[in-house]
């Protein structure tokens, strides 16, 4: 509440206006938080993905990405792992939930044999739901 001062008298009147300044301050703080947090939610491993013309599927809330770089190295989200560490690292990341979908992001220069080795390792660890990630293209060929 505010007080309106009259020039000609001693009586004070209350004004019934809402002060929106704190609301605007809170909204600006939330905007800054989301602007800072949004880039941190993506995977930072640079992989040259092949293009796909298929209709994109809806993404889960927190996808698990397994990236295969051109030099055949593996990255689980942003951490580098070896083939031997892959199963145990996935178990830690998914709390041993074998029904989680693992999204494989492979560089387009990775040979088919390496992709099959990684998929066999995933299958051996008990992860049978595998999604392949590609670039989304607009239109058709």
């Amino acid at each position: 509440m505010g007080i309106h001062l009259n020039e000609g008298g001693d009586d004070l009147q209350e004004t019934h206006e809402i002060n929106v300044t704190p609301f605007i301050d809170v909204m600006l703080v939330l905007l800054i938080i989301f602007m800072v947090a949004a880039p941190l939610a993506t995977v930072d491993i640079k992989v040259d993905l092949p293009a796909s013309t298929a209709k994109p599927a809806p993404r889960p809330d927190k996808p698990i990405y397994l990236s295969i770089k051109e030099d055949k190295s593996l990255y689980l989200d942003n951490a580098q792992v070896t083939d031997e560490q892959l199963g145990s690292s996935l178990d830690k990341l998914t709390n041993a939930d074998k029904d989680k979908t693992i999204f494989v992001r492979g560089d387009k220069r990775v040979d088919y044999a390496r992709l099959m080795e990684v998929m066999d390792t995933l299958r051996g660890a008990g992860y049978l739901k595998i999604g392949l990630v590609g670039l989304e293209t607009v239109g058709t060929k």
Side-chain angles (χ1 to χ4, degrees):
M1 282 193 211
I3 296 176
H4 180 68
L5 298 175
N6 287 340
E7 294 178 13
D10 289 336
D11 57 335
L12 300 176
Q13 294 178 344
E14 293 182 1
T15 59
H16 301 284
E17 297 175 7
I18 297 174
N19 186 2
V20 296
T21 304
F23 176 71
I24 293 172
D25 290 343
V26 169
M27 294 305 291
L28 288 174
V29 168
L30 287 175
L31 178 66
I32 290 170
I33 289 172
F34 284 115
M35 287 174 55
V36 170
L40 300 176
T42 60
V43 178
D44 292 333
I45 306 301
K46 299 292 182 196
V47 176
D48 190 11
L49 295 173
S52 171
T53 58
K55 182 179 176 186
R59 293 185 183 178
D61 293 335
K62 174 124 176 50
I64 299 170
Y65 289 107
L66 176 63
S67 303
I68 309 171
K69 292 192 70 166
E70 183 180 6
D71 62 356
K72 299 182 181 182
S73 59
L74 295 177
Y75 290 85
L76 190 56
D77 283 340
N78 289 329
Q80 186 171 6
V81 294
T82 63
D83 289 6
E84 296 80 22
Q85 297 170 335
L86 183 58
S88 61
S89 297
L90 276 171
D91 288 341
K92 289 178 190 174
L93 196 60
T94 64
N95 294 324
D97 183 8
K98 305 289 184 181
D99 289 330
K100 293 267 187 176
T101 301
I102 309 302
F103 292 94
V104 177
R105 302 172 65 239
D107 192 286
K108 65 182 174 183
R109 291 177 291 275
V110 171
D111 59 349
Y112 186 71
R114 176 62 177 151
L115 180 64
M116 289 307 297
E117 287 173 8
V118 171
M119 291 179 72
D120 283 342
T121 304
L122 288 172
R123 187 183 61 193
Y127 293 93
L128 302 178
K129 293 184 178 182
I130 300 170
L132 300 177
V133 179
L135 291 178
E136 299 171 8
T137 59
V138 179
T140 59
K141 291 183 179 180

